[in-house]
Amino acid sequence: MKAYTLGLYEKSMPGTLTWKEKLLEAREAGFDFVEISIDETDEKLDRLNWTKEERLELVKIMYEVGVPIRTMCLSGHRKYPIGSNDEAVCRRGMEIMEKAIELSEDLGIRIIQLAGYDVYYEESTPESVERFGKNLEIAAMMAARAGVTLGFETMETEFMNTVEKAMHYVKLVNSTYLNVYPDAGNITNAAVMYDTDVLDDLRTGEGHLVAMHLKETVPGKFREIPFGTGHVDFESMVHEAWKLGIRKFVTEFWYTGSDAWREDLKFAHDMMSAIIEKER
């Protein structure tokens, strides 16, 4: 058995590709699995309503291609946060949580990456923070029933931009099924902003780190920074993550219309796999 798995974020490929084409492209570039996106767009949220037949067809495609979907980036809570002060929005957020867990069960997804904030488009209040914590407890029990692990993404906002902040809620809920799925780029930006050691922050999650997003950033910018042009020290980040027990990594980057997107997939795979291989 391979000592680790390296996944590819779905949005690194053109959205016009079919699922079979996406999995084939991931395989061609050398990746072990794909991370599905359930973002705030109606198109992505509608995936939560796939029929059993549609889900089974996707599972068959995974087996045919030999590349599974094993993690989910659930950013749909940006629009429908589970701490929202709007009762209808909050209820929709919890419905999304339940359906995401059910979809994960059907597709064989092991880890759902949760957005780490109580609210996004509205003002955070003591009430929204309290509601977020209570609904996390409900979400963790949903995940426990399904045997699907939830992992907080360390975000770009101050509410949960460090592993240490995510661990506050992990300890509060105290469930095997709620952990941390850190983003290397986001916690690097936070460390620069706070003048702290990013590896010290990573260590605060010891025993609760389920996977890692390998994403490039520069101070103050969190998206669409090409690998090798930012300030993330992937060598030291992967080395520390490996010591802390992480064995599942996902390269997170975006397709932005370049004709060389296939080359970008291959570059990302080769760069990150070479770094991870040093830890074996």
Side-chain angles (χ1 to χ4, degrees):
M1 179 184 290
K2 189 177 177 182
Y4 66 92
T5 53
L6 179 60
L8 178 66
Y9 185 48
E10 177 196 350
K11 288 186 178 181
S12 63
M13 296 174 278
T16 54
L17 299 181
T18 65
W19 268 111
K20 184 172 184 179
E21 289 169 336
K22 288 176 181 177
L23 298 181
L24 284 169
E25 294 292 351
R27 186 182 74 182
E28 182 65 24
F31 290 96
D32 301 304
F33 68 97
V34 167
E35 179 165 278
I36 188 174
S37 167
I38 305 293
D39 64 22
E40 61 189 294
T41 63
D42 291 339
E43 175 201 356
K44 296 289 199 303
L45 287 173
D46 192 53
R47 292 172 170 182
L48 301 177
N49 298 318
W50 279 341
T51 65
K52 291 293 185 182
E53 291 74 21
E54 288 172 313
R55 297 172 192 218
L56 179 58
E57 181 60 29
L58 182 50
V59 171
K60 289 179 179 177
I61 291 171
M62 291 185 218
Y63 274 89
E64 178 187 343
V65 175
V67 174
I69 298 168
R70 283 294 175 261
T71 57
M72 174 191 292
C73 181
L74 180 59
S75 55
H77 283 138
R78 181 181 296 218
K79 186 175 181 180
Y80 301 102
I82 63 173
S84 177
N85 293 300
D86 184 320
E87 185 178 343
V89 170
C90 191
R91 186 166 57 248
R92 175 65 172 138
M94 291 305 290
E95 178 187 64
I96 288 170
M97 187 76 263
E98 183 174 8
K99 287 186 174 184
I101 291 170
E102 290 173 350
L103 181 61
S104 296
E105 276 191 285
D106 289 343
L107 298 184
I109 290 169
R110 308 296 199 260
I111 301 169
I112 297 175
Q113 186 184 52
L114 289 180
Y117 30 63
D118 58 333
V119 292
Y120 189 80
Y121 294 115
E122 58 188 277
E123 185 177 352
S124 179
T125 66
E127 291 76 21
S128 67
V129 171
E130 182 180 4
R131 192 176 299 111
F132 175 71
K134 288 181 177 178
N135 282 331
L136 275 177
E137 293 179 354
I138 297 171
M141 290 305 101
M142 291 179 187
R145 183 202 65 79
V148 174
T149 298
L150 307 178
F152 279 125
E153 180 177 13
T154 47
M155 307 305 296
E156 74 282 7
T157 58
E158 288 211 33
F159 183 78
M160 196 182 292
N161 57 354
T162 66
V163 174
E164 184 176 18
K165 290 179 181 179
M167 283 300 299
H168 167 75
Y169 287 96
V170 170
K171 293 172 182 176
L172 181 70
V173 174
N174 193 28
S175 168
T176 302
Y177 293 93
L178 180 64
N179 292 282
V180 187
Y181 183 159
D183 182 297
N186 291 354
I187 61 174
T188 296
N189 275 7
V192 168
M193 183 170 66
Y194 299 139
D195 193 22
T196 55
D197 187 322
V198 68
L199 299 184
D200 283 346
D201 180 51
L202 193 59
R203 293 181 195 108
T204 65
E206 185 171 6
H208 296 280
L209 303 174
V210 294
M212 174 176 276
H213 262 177
L214 299 173
K215 186 184 76 178
E216 186 70 275
T217 56
V218 295
K221 292 189 177 182
F222 298 84
R223 291 170 60 98
E224 300 176 4
I225 307 300
F227 285 121
T229 67
H231 69 148
V232 179
D233 184 348
F234 290 107
E235 296 262 357
S236 63
M237 193 75 73
V238 168
H239 180 66
E240 195 62 36
W242 189 272
K243 288 198 298 181
L244 292 167
I246 292 179
R247 294 295 183 272
K248 189 173 286 292
F249 300 87
V250 174
T251 57
E252 186 185 28
F253 58 106
W254 287 264
Y255 167 73
T256 57
S258 170
D259 291 336
W261 62 269
R262 286 190 176 90
E263 289 85 347
D264 292 341
L265 301 190
K266 185 64 175 164
F267 178 81
H269 170 271
D270 292 353
M271 174 183 175
M272 295 306 172
S273 61
I275 292 171
I276 301 170
E277 281 290 332
K278 295 177 182 178
E279 304 302 325
R280 296 184 61 182

